[in-house]
Amino acid sequence: MIYLFLCIALAFGAEIDVNTFSNYIEVSQEQVHIEWLLDLDEQYINATSQSIFRVNTNKLKKIDLDIYQLSIIAVYLSSSGNVLQHEIIKKGDQSLLQGDVLSIQLDRVYTRGEYIKLNIKYNLDSKGARALGFLTKEQTYSKTVPYLFSQCEDNNCRSIIPLQDTPSIKVFFTATVLVKDPRINVFMTGNKLYNMKFKLLNNYENLQALTLYQFELDIKIPAYLIGIIAGEVVEKSTGNGTYVIAEPHFIDEYAEELSDLPVYMNKMQEYIGPYIWGDYKIVILPASFPFGGMEHPLLTFASPTIIVGDKSGVGTAIHEIAHSWVGNTVTGRNWANFWINEGFCVFLERKILSRLNGLDSVKLDAINGNSSAFTSMQTFGLDNSFSSMHPNTTNRNPDEATSRVPYEKGYQLLTYLESLIKEEPFQQFLRDYIENFKFQSIDEDQLYQFLLSWVRKNKQEEAQRIIEEIQKVWKKWVYNPGLAPITIDVSTPLLADANNLAKAWIDGKGQAPEKANDFQQYKPNQKSVFLQYLIDNYKDVEAAVMTKMDEQYKLTFYKDQKTGYKWYRLVLLVKYDQALEGVHDFVSKVGVSSYLKVLYDLLGQNYNKQAYDWFEENKSFYHPVVVQAIEKILQKYPKKLIIE
């Protein structure tokens, strides 16, 4: 069957998605509606999905969907209610990595162009739904009601909805959500409807006692962009169709920190074109949210780590705004083409930040990003495909390939292309690219062919020279693991200042250098460069240096968690025991996956007992995706027997 899919895909000239078990080429999901009854106290959801499929082949007898740990009760035709036979095909060692197949036998043979409408009744809970983070009421600030949030990217939506869980397929999404406690507010991807539009698919006892929410999105999206939060949350306008959503205690603080959302939105539209999605809402989630941000349309998620107090952490908000054009409107076809989302997004983010903060500040962001990407390459291996922009995720959970590599190498490629094409024409290229591929899922070759065609048409006498330069590097840049084939110049005096101060601290062997107070004036990205120099040279950093620095800068328990993360990396590398309680506090309060994976890797190496103790202590706080990632990391460092 996979061979058949491959033949069909090659005929259309598109890459297949190796991380879906669905027969999405033979039949494509066009619309998904869900109806969920939430029980947040029991961490359980009674669910029904209703989907419309379009047949793309002449003889369709079955529909295969992706599922992960779902309890399937029944499948039936929406129109007649006739029950269809189904079976769950277990995928062996892939079951816990990527899930299984819900194979539905149709009532007859369907032909190309026909549509099929199916209902699926199922249940899910906190044990199997790895896309969902369930927080008890005690884990929330007010401690009055539980809290629920999702993280479907990469391919975790199959753990909450049976569907074609691939970025190759985009669907219209609608939802009805019912809750038992009226204090629980719900937001989902899409527009919240204030008049009931969708008929209920099920009968409910005591319906009058339930609170009902409905949502609708009239632009197609891939499954990974489906998101939900439910809990004691409120929203507050920040002007011009932008809103912040958070727990009531934090809403004013967060809205103030993000009060410039309309400015960011206007700057982005001035550069890349009109915003087409409607309102822009950003949710600041509880600390266990596993990523810096997540770009669900009309419901961006962000970690509280972006709230620093001086608006210096809002680059994440700008990054997620940029996804409204790159990622959400034009989407990478599969997880090997993830860079099409993220590389373009980083480019737009830094283009706007350069207008707000200056070019030197953006160069520091690029330096920090490249450092994080190289750290990931070293962890993966410099010859591993995960160190390329086009990772091979066959028989792997694509979450395993998640790193800064596609972000930074993608950004560097686009920066290089801009240097060839020149800034103003390249801006027009980006606008034309988005318009040409609007609402589509594409792969790198489609982008490449469009780029060459655009250059031929728009650069005229320079076209051949530019095309030859692009052809020299494109495939190497995309497919080769390791560093990019061309180094982008991001030199800035701010880098030299930070590195010189860090070196002076090392050379001082415990004495504060003359310019030690300069650190207090650094922005977070310059502080990160300073700490990265120390990390890169940690073998030369003596305990006396750590003690004096911590005394001077109060880095242990530092408020800015991005700076704190870099400090704790250094602490674990140097084995500076005096700051271990700070590391313990950090891993107990911050749920960001990229931070925790690095810190637990270092803990496993250098503080084995603490690694296992702290992980066990915080397991219920971490999102399921993070739990799986840390468990895999700790497998490299078997628990040591400690004899008292």
Side-chain angles (χ1 to χ4, degrees), residues 154-265:
D154 293 345
N155 64 350
N156 299 314
C157 195
R158 63 191 68 180
S159 75
I160 60 174
I161 307 171
L163 41 57
Q164 295 176 333
D165 196 1
T166 166
S168 295
I169 294 295
K170 293 188 173 186
V171 298
F172 293 112
F173 177 72
T174 57
T176 298
V177 181
L178 302 102
V179 296
K180 298 177 180 180
D181 189 331
R183 295 173 297 177
I184 294 174
N185 196 4
V186 179
F187 291 90
M188 287 201 80
T189 298
N191 295 294
K192 182 181 277 192
L193 304 178
Y194 292 95
N195 294 306
M196 185 169 172
K197 181 173 182 178
F198 308 113
K199 291 182 180 179
L200 294 180
L201 302 177
N202 300 289
N203 296 317
Y204 298 93
E205 293 181 9
N206 202 14
L207 179 61
Q208 304 90 320
L210 300 177
T211 303
L212 182 146
Y213 300 92
Q214 293 195 326
F215 305 89
E216 180 178 35
L217 187 61
D218 57 5
I219 299 176
K220 284 187 170 184
I221 57 169
Y224 76 86
L225 289 179
I226 295 173
I228 184 173
I229 60 163
E232 188 183 20
V233 290
V234 294
E235 65 179 323
K236 184 172 183 177
S237 172
T238 45
N240 294 342
T242 65
Y243 298 84
V244 175
I245 300 170
E247 292 182 84
H249 175 79
F250 300 108
I251 191 65
D252 290 336
E253 174 192 354
Y254 293 172
E256 175 59 30
E257 186 87 348
L258 294 164
S259 60
D260 289 335
L261 278 176
V263 176
Y264 309 148
M265 185 64 75

Side-chain angles (χ1 to χ4, degrees), residues 84-154:
L84 299 177
Q85 290 186 341
H86 73 272
E87 65 173 322
I88 295 174
I89 301 173
K90 294 291 185 178
K91 299 301 290 185
D93 60 0
Q94 289 294 304
S95 286
L96 292 179
L97 277 178
Q98 301 196 86
D100 298 309
V101 183
L102 172 60
S103 187
I104 302 165
Q105 299 301 313
L106 297 172
D107 58 325
R108 61 178 176 83
V109 175
Y110 287 79
T111 58
R112 187 187 306 275
E114 288 193 272
Y115 287 83
I116 306 166
K117 192 173 184 180
L118 298 180
N119 284 25
I120 303 173
K121 288 184 66 68
Y122 64 102
N123 297 320
L124 59 141
D125 59 28
S126 58
K127 294 177 183 177
R130 69 180 181 188
L132 299 181
F134 287 91
L135 303 181
T136 65
K137 62 184 180 182
E138 289 77 20
Q139 291 175 295
T140 67
Y141 184 85
S142 68
K143 306 188 186 312
T144 56
V145 295
Y147 195 108
L148 168 72
F149 68 91
S150 63
Q151 176 57 41
C152 283
E153 191 180 42
D154 293 345

Side-chain angles (χ1 to χ4, degrees), residues 416-579:
Y416 175 67
L417 294 176
E418 183 185 52
S419 74
L420 294 176
I421 295 171
K422 304 308 177 189
E423 186 170 9
E424 192 172 321
F426 193 69
Q427 178 183 358
Q428 187 59 51
F429 161 74
L430 292 174
R431 286 175 168 238
D432 293 344
Y433 158 74
I434 290 167
E435 184 60 32
N436 187 77
F437 292 113
K438 184 188 291 185
F439 309 136
Q440 298 179 48
S441 297
I442 68 167
D443 58 38
E444 62 84 16
D445 192 62
Q446 289 172 278
L447 166 59
Y448 177 59
Q449 298 302 333
F450 177 78
L451 170 64
L452 297 185
S453 174
W454 189 94
V455 170
R456 288 190 190 97
K457 180 179 177 182
N458 292 278
K459 295 303 290 183
Q460 297 167 359
E461 63 273 6
E462 294 181 280
Q464 190 56 39
R465 177 188 63 81
I466 293 171
I467 286 172
E468 288 174 1
E469 294 300 318
I470 293 171
Q471 289 173 330
K472 285 179 188 176
V473 299
W474 182 273
K475 296 300 179 182
K476 293 179 184 177
W477 214 307
V478 172
Y479 286 94
N480 286 7
L483 297 175
I486 292 176
T487 301
I488 304 301
D489 180 17
V490 288
S491 57
T492 164
L494 299 180
L495 171 64
D497 290 347
N499 285 348
N500 289 338
L501 179 58
K503 185 176 185 303
W505 270 104
I506 294 174
D507 294 343
K509 298 184 180 299
Q511 297 296 314
E514 181 182 348
K515 295 185 176 181
N517 289 333
D518 286 2
F519 179 86
Q520 311 289 11
Q521 308 306 315
Y522 289 174
K523 296 293 186 185
N525 55 4
Q526 195 171 11
K527 290 177 181 176
S528 182
V529 168
F530 167 85
L531 288 166
Q532 187 62 46
Y533 184 94
L534 297 172
I535 290 167
D536 292 341
N537 297 278
Y538 77 92
K539 292 181 180 178
D540 300 325
V541 180
E542 298 178 2
V545 174
M546 299 290 286
T547 300
K548 188 63 179 177
M549 263 199 304
D550 203 9
E551 176 188 310
Q552 180 121 2
Y553 299 150
K554 305 291 187 294
L555 289 165
T556 303
F557 304 109
Y558 202 75
K559 181 179 179 181
D560 175 15
Q561 291 170 336
K562 291 185 178 181
T563 301
Y565 159 68
K566 282 286 183 82
W567 168 247
Y568 294 131
R569 278 180 64 190
L570 182 62
V571 164
L572 296 176
L573 286 165
V574 175
K575 301 180 185 178
Y576 181 60
D577 293 357
Q578 292 92 318

Side-chain angles (χ1 to χ4, degrees), residues 245-438:
I245 300 170
E247 292 182 84
H249 175 79
F250 300 108
I251 191 65
D252 290 336
E253 174 192 354
Y254 293 172
E256 175 59 30
E257 186 87 348
L258 294 164
S259 60
D260 289 335
L261 278 176
V263 176
Y264 309 148
M265 185 64 75
N266 288 338
K267 291 285 185 185
M268 190 65 72
Q269 290 183 89
E270 287 172 7
Y271 182 79
I272 200 63
Y275 175 75
I276 63 173
W277 294 86
D279 290 337
Y280 183 83
K281 298 184 180 184
I282 184 167
V283 185
I284 307 300
L285 282 103
S288 55
F289 179 59
F291 295 100
M294 184 61 217
E295 61 273 14
H296 314 107
L298 289 86
L299 197 70
T300 287
F301 285 2
S303 163
T305 58
I306 77 168
I307 306 297
V308 180
D310 60 2
K311 300 188 178 183
S312 61
V314 298
T316 296
I318 296 172
H319 180 95
E320 303 309 330
I321 287 171
H323 269 305
S324 301
W325 288 265
V326 289
N328 296 6
T329 300
V330 181
T331 307
R333 180 180 293 278
N334 52 33
W335 300 112
N337 286 283
F338 184 56
W339 75 271
I340 290 176
N341 299 356
E342 298 299 349
F344 277 83
C345 199
V346 173
F347 184 88
L348 292 180
E349 168 199 344
R350 290 179 182 159
K351 189 63 71 173
I352 303 311
L353 283 172
S354 69
R355 286 156 163 72
L356 296 171
N357 301 334
L359 186 56
D360 281 333
S361 178
V362 165
K363 286 182 175 181
L364 286 180
D365 291 337
I367 291 165
N368 285 317
N370 195 53
S371 174
S372 296
F374 189 66
T375 298
S376 296
M377 291 179 192
Q378 290 176 309
T379 302
F380 293 140
L382 290 175
D383 58 351
N384 190 308
S385 81
F386 286 9
S387 294
S388 77
M389 284 164 54
H390 197 275
N392 179 5
T393 57
T394 303
N395 294 326
R396 305 287 291 272
N397 183 334
D399 283 340
E400 296 176 38
T402 301
S403 75
R404 288 298 301 182
V405 173
Y407 295 72
E408 300 302 329
K409 286 183 76 173
Y411 164 75
Q412 292 160 15
L413 173 57
L414 294 171
T415 301
Y416 175 67
L417 294 176
E418 183 185 52
S419 74
L420 294 176
I421 295 171
K422 304 308 177 189
E423 186 170 9
E424 192 172 321
F426 193 69
Q427 178 183 358
Q428 187 59 51
F429 161 74
L430 292 174
R431 286 175 168 238
D432 293 344
Y433 158 74
I434 290 167
E435 184 60 32
N436 187 77
F437 292 113
K438 184 188 291 185

